[in-house]
């Protein structure tokens, strides 16, 4: 089997590079997570240099676990990732089925649909939070204002006026607020990544067995049962892939959260780390280690979900 | 029969209409951004100028004069091109090894590679800054940005290439061996031509991710190697009243990559499968 040695060695550059990329920062993070290490401290200047004499044991971990933001950040991370996955998969399937049939302008619609995927995440966030979702200057604000004016005018109308006078005045939603900022992030990332799901599902639909479908039609299967019993099972593997790739990207979501609310009530784990890292490197590092553990748990489940089919 | 005919006549009209509505809806935010970039900052927030206004190039002129757009854009092109090239240079042999000479650990190695992408960048930002600034002295260089972009995209690229290579019958590669071609020859003369479509779409996706990356490119650069994401970073402060300027900068930053995506969409539609299609 010696003729296999060289070909196998070909993967070493990639493995070594990634090992360095992971191990150097990870070991530094691990080290910092066990010592007291802050960037600025007038009271204890000795803490501003990383040194073993500032050993803190699991103190940083305790500090993080007792921080009220920590649990919230984990919850938020999971909420945001799961919601995005849910919506992109549903919309992705619906849209892929919708544009899989040929119709006039199919090519153009396809181009329009996949465009959001190319947009820079930072631009995506700036665009949505300011120009679309802003409660005063954004389209949301303008639309709510416009609707209110229409309702106001209708109230003056004869005959039907009484009906509209029962309607309440609409108020725009502020998406920078604590409770709603996660929703804004979910909206904008879903907009950006639905095209990705559409792309993958569309390619998969094109490889669907048409003879099987024709046979089903001859047997009198309706559109719904065709979708339910032929198309959906066929999409099982692509769905797993879409979930996996997106989980990888969205667990480290950062720019969107920063731009929407500066983490106000909406911190995910990466953002919390960034916040700690403004001064308390020890706590940031301990949180980083927790995030590594979370990533490994997710990776474990993804592996079970996808690993089996990966090597086939 | 009548019901079926009626149904299909209905869907013949409703189906395309619905598809067009969905397509336009998804494109609308981009359209809106481009439209707003031709309004003055004052007009951009006035409801009466929503769709009808006097277009102006003021924002774009202002951008190239005051923000040095071309330097950021050039940097974006340079780092994205070189990072994509380097990623493929390392990734192709690696994916080749995994696809044609798999061992029992190949699956785990692949999964481990992907898991490195899930590590929160914020956790290692400080060590990285410290290392590159104080020890290696490569902070704010093209070299550093290219290296980092390559490393963060390598796992995805290897995985994508792996799924393409796996579809190629082993016999074809083996036949090359019979003819006495060495490993490099196999990759260069047999594998790359055969998997060209897959490699091209991988390269395209990698390029898009490099162009759009905004965490490391913003934080590991100051001026010399700053890319378009840094330009966005500097302009996105909550100055709600500057929608026109903001839109122009945004349009100029995403314009090149969106247009590239349009031209290559066929490639992407066929190529972006990640092994989902058998």
């Amino acid at each position: 089997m010696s003729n296999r040695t060289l070909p196998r060695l070909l993967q070493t550059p990639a493995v070594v590079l990634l090992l360095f990329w992971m191990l150097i920062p990870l070991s530094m993070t691990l080290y910092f997570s066990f010592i007291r290490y802050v960037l600025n401290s007038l009271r204890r200047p000795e803490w501003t240099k990383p040194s073993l004499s500032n050993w803190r044991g699991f103190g940083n971990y305790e500090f993080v676990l007792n921080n009220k933001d920590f649990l919230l950040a984990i919850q938020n991370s999971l909420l945001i990732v799961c919601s995005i996955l849910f919506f992109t998969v549903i919309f992705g399937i619906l849209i892929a089925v919708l544009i899989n049939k040929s119709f006039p302008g199919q090519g153009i619609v396809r181009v329009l649909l996949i465009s959001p995927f190319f947009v820079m995440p930072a631009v995506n966030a700036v665009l949505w939070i300011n120009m679309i979702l802003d409660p005063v200057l954004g389209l949301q604000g303008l639309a709510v204002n416009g609707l209110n004016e229409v309702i106001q005018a209708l109230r003056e109308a004869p005959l039907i006026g009484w009906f509209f006078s029962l309607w309440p005045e609409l108020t725009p939603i502020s998406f920078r607020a604590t409770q709603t900022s996660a929703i804004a992030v979910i909206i904008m990332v879903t907009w950006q990544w639905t095209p990705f799901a559409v792309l993958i599902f569309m390619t998969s639909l094109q490889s669907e067995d048409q003879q099987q479908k024709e046979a089903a039609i001859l047997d009198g299967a309706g559109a719904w049962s065709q979708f339910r019993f032929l198309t959906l099972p066929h999409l099982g593997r692509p769905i797993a892939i879409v979930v996996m790739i997106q989980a990888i990207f969205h667990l480290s979501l950062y720019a969107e959260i920063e731009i929407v609310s500066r983490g106000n009530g909406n911190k995910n784990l990466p953002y919390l780390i960034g916040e700690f890292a403004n001064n308390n490197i020890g706590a940031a590092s301990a949180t980083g280690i927790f995030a590594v553990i979370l990533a490994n748990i997710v990776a474990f489940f993804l592996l079970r979900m996808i690993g089996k089919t990966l090597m086939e | 029969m009548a019901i079926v005919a009626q149904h299909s006549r209905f869907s013949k009209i409703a189906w395309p209409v619905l598809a067009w509505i969905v397509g336009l809806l998804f494109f609308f935010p981009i359209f809106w951004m481009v439209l707003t970039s031709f309004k003055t900052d004052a007009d951009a927030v006035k409801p009466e100028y929503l769709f009808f206004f006097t277009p102006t190039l003021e924002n774009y002129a202002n951008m190239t004069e005051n923000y040095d757009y071309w330097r950021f854009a050039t940097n974006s092109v340079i780092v994205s091109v070189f990072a994509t090239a380097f990623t493929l240079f390392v990734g192709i042999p690696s994916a080749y090894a995994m696809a044609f000479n798999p061992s029992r650990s190949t699956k785990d190695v692949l999964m481990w590679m992907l898991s490195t992408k899930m590590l929160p960048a914020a956790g290692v930002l400080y060590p990285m800054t410290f290392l590159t600034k104080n020890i290696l002295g490569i902070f704010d260089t093209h070299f550093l940005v290219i290296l980092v972009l390559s490393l963060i995209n390598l796992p995805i690229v290897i995985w994508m290439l792996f799924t393409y290579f796996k579809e190629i019958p082993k016999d074809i590669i083996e036949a090359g061996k019979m003819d006495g071609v060495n490993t490099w020859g196999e990759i260069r003369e047999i594998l790359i031509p055969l998997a060209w479509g897959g490699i091209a779409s991988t390269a395209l996706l990698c390029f898009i991710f490099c162009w759009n990356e905004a965490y490391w490119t913003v934080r590991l650069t100051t001026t010399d190697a700053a890319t378009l994401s840094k330009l966005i970073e500097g302009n996105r402060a909550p100055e709600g009243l500057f929608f026109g300027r903001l839109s122009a900068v945004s349009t100029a930053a995403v314009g090149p990559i969106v247009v590239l995506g349009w031209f290559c969409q066929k490639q992407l539609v066929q190529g972006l499968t990640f092994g989902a299609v058998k």
Side-chain angles (χ1 to χ4, degrees):
Chain A
M1 295 307 274
S2 65
N3 63 334
R4 284 200 154 189
T5 324
L6 173 70
R8 274 198 192 143
L9 279 178
L10 287 174
Q11 58 181 301
T12 33
V15 171
V16 168
L17 275 173
L18 283 174
L19 211 57
F20 270 115
W21 173 238
M22 201 184 88
L23 280 185
I24 295 177
L26 195 65
S27 47
M28 283 172 92
T29 303
L30 204 60
Y31 170 45
F32 293 160
S33 76
F34 286 109
I35 59 172
R36 285 185 191 277
Y37 184 15
V38 293
L39 293 181
N40 295 297
S41 176
L42 291 174
R43 206 158 45 86
R44 305 294 294 267
E46 70 271 21
W47 288 355
T48 56
K49 286 230 159 50
S51 148
L52 273 177
S53 55
N54 295 330
W55 190 258
R56 202 187 177 189
F58 282 96
N60 285 323
Y61 292 88
E62 263 171 51
F63 171 80
V64 171
L65 282 175
N66 290 328
N67 190 303
K68 65 176 170 35
D69 281 343
F70 179 67
L71 208 64
L72 214 65
I74 290 192
Q75 277 174 9
N76 251 321
S77 288
L78 294 176
L79 168 79
I80 291 174
V81 172
C82 292
S83 310
I84 295 168
L85 286 175
F86 178 77
F87 288 119
T88 47
V89 167
I90 301 282
F91 290 152
I93 292 175
L94 291 178
I95 294 173
V97 170
L98 184 69
I99 62 170
N100 194 37
K101 277 194 183 179
S102 63
F103 58 87
Q106 191 188 25
I108 302 173
V109 169
R110 211 147 69 177
V111 166
L112 294 178
L113 261 174
I114 60 174
S115 300
F117 186 59
F118 307 131
V119 172
M120 222 176 256
V123 168
N124 173 10
V126 168
L127 176 66
W128 275 88
I129 199 64
N130 289 315
M131 287 161 57
I132 297 175
L133 294 178
D134 192 275
V136 182
L137 301 170
L139 287 176
Q140 192 219 165
L142 298 181
V144 169
N145 255 342
L147 276 177
N148 277 336
E149 272 168 33
V150 170
I151 293 171
Q152 192 60 45
L154 283 170
R155 279 181 187 152
E156 314 291 320
L159 287 173
I160 49 166
W162 64 272
F163 174 68
F164 288 98
S165 63
L166 298 173
W167 285 29
E169 185 108 329
L170 299 172
T171 40
I173 307 163
S174 165
F175 280 95
R176 289 183 198 267
T178 311
Q179 299 86 356
T180 47
S181 50
I183 298 173
V185 172
I186 292 167
I187 294 175
M188 56 184 66
V189 180
T190 301
W191 174 71
Q192 173 147 50
W193 281 81
T194 298
F196 174 76
V198 171
L199 272 175
I200 296 220
F201 294 149
M202 207 164 64
T203 333
S204 172
L205 285 179
Q206 280 161 3
S207 74
E208 207 182 350
D209 191 347
Q210 290 306 317
Q211 283 180 340
Q212 209 179 23
K213 261 200 151 163
E214 278 158 26
I217 294 170
L218 282 179
D219 287 345
W224 168 249
S225 44
Q226 277 177 52
F227 175 76
R228 171 70 187 78
F229 295 107
L230 292 177
T231 307
L232 216 51
H234 180 74
L235 286 178
R237 194 180 155 87
I239 290 174
I241 303 240
V242 166
V243 166
M244 171 163 181
I245 303 253
Q246 288 204 79
I248 290 170
F249 274 86
H250 302 334
L251 268 178
S252 48
L253 213 61
Y254 192 96
E256 287 89 343
I257 294 195
E258 189 188 20
I259 292 170
V260 167
S261 60
R262 300 218 153 262
N264 166 26
N266 180 32
K267 297 179 183 73
N268 64 355
L269 219 41
Y271 194 86
L272 185 69
I273 296 169
E275 222 170 54
F276 279 139
N278 285 333
N279 191 31
N280 192 342
I281 301 297
S285 301
T287 318
I289 298 298
F290 281 121
V292 169
I293 294 169
L294 182 72
N296 275 301
I297 294 173
V298 174
F300 173 77
F301 282 113
L302 290 176
L303 185 78
R304 293 193 57 175
M305 193 175 77
I306 253 214
K308 257 184 254 149
T309 50
L310 188 69
M311 300 309 292
E312 275 162 16
Chain B
M1 248 357 246
I3 296 169
V4 173
Q6 210 172 8
H7 171 80
S8 66
R9 203 179 310 143
F10 168 74
S11 66
K12 232 176 216 157
I13 309 213
W15 203 275
V17 169
L18 194 62
W20 269 95
I21 290 176
V22 172
L24 290 173
L25 221 56
F26 263 81
F27 188 71
F28 179 77
I30 298 174
F31 164 76
W32 193 246
M33 172 181 77
V34 178
L35 193 74
T36 310
S37 73
F38 295 111
K39 298 177 185 175
T40 61
D41 285 329
D43 285 0
V45 292
K46 285 184 192 147
E48 59 268 32
Y49 294 128
L50 220 47
F51 288 99
F52 304 101
F53 57 95
T54 339
T56 166
L57 285 175
E58 186 188 302
N59 295 315
Y60 287 98
N62 182 27
M63 176 184 76
T64 39
E65 262 168 48
N66 300 345
Y67 299 114
D68 207 357
Y69 167 76
W70 292 109
R71 188 172 49 101
F72 291 104
T74 318
N75 279 340
S76 269
V77 172
I78 292 173
V79 298
S80 302
V81 166
F82 280 96
T84 305
F86 183 66
T87 312
L88 287 178
F89 179 71
V90 178
I92 289 176
S94 171
Y96 161 86
M98 289 174 173
F100 296 110
N101 299 286
S103 64
R104 281 172 57 208
S105 61
T106 299
K107 188 175 83 179
D108 298 325
V109 172
L110 258 176
M111 279 296 149
W112 165 74
M113 285 182 170
L114 282 173
S115 78
T116 63
K117 258 201 91 68
M118 281 190 258
L119 303 182
V124 294
L125 173 65
Y126 185 73
M128 276 297 289
T129 319
F130 185 78
L131 202 67
T132 52
K133 218 179 212 165
N134 301 356
I135 299 177
L136 301 171
I138 50 172
F139 190 82
D140 195 21
T141 58
H142 290 91
F143 172 77
L144 175 65
V145 177
I146 291 167
L147 186 69
V148 168
L149 287 179
S150 304
L151 286 169
I152 57 178
N153 285 309
L154 196 56
I156 292 279
V157 162
I158 289 182
W159 193 34
M160 248 180 112
L161 290 172
F162 170 77
T163 57
Y164 292 120
F165 291 174
K166 226 159 40 62
E167 300 301 306
I168 296 173
K170 254 189 170 164
D171 306 346
I172 299 181
I173 304 287
E174 294 294 327
K177 232 174 236 148
M178 297 287 186
D179 296 342
V181 182
N182 63 10
T183 308
W184 280 118
E186 259 174 59
I187 293 180
R188 223 182 38 236
E189 280 154 36
I190 303 171
L191 183 69
I192 292 182
L194 273 177
W196 185 243
I199 293 172
S201 31
T202 309
L204 189 64
L205 195 73
C206 183
F207 189 85
I208 293 170
F209 284 149
C210 288
W211 186 279
N212 290 344
E213 210 286 327
Y215 189 83
W216 292 113
T217 42
V218 165
R219 285 162 182 82
L220 294 180
T221 61
T222 45
T223 47
D224 291 351
T227 62
L228 284 169
S229 29
K230 187 98 180 175
L231 177 69
I232 297 291
E233 167 86 12
N235 274 282
R236 61 142 216 244
E239 312 154 273
L241 288 169
F242 300 109
F243 283 4
R245 195 185 78 187
L246 194 65
S247 301
V249 175
S250 301
T251 305
V254 302
I257 200 76
V258 171
V259 171
L260 179 77
W262 285 348
F263 278 114
C264 304
Q265 64 106 3
K266 269 231 166 66
Q267 192 65 53
L268 269 183
V269 170
Q270 289 158 0
L272 202 67
T273 64
F274 286 98
V277 181
K278 288 271 123 184

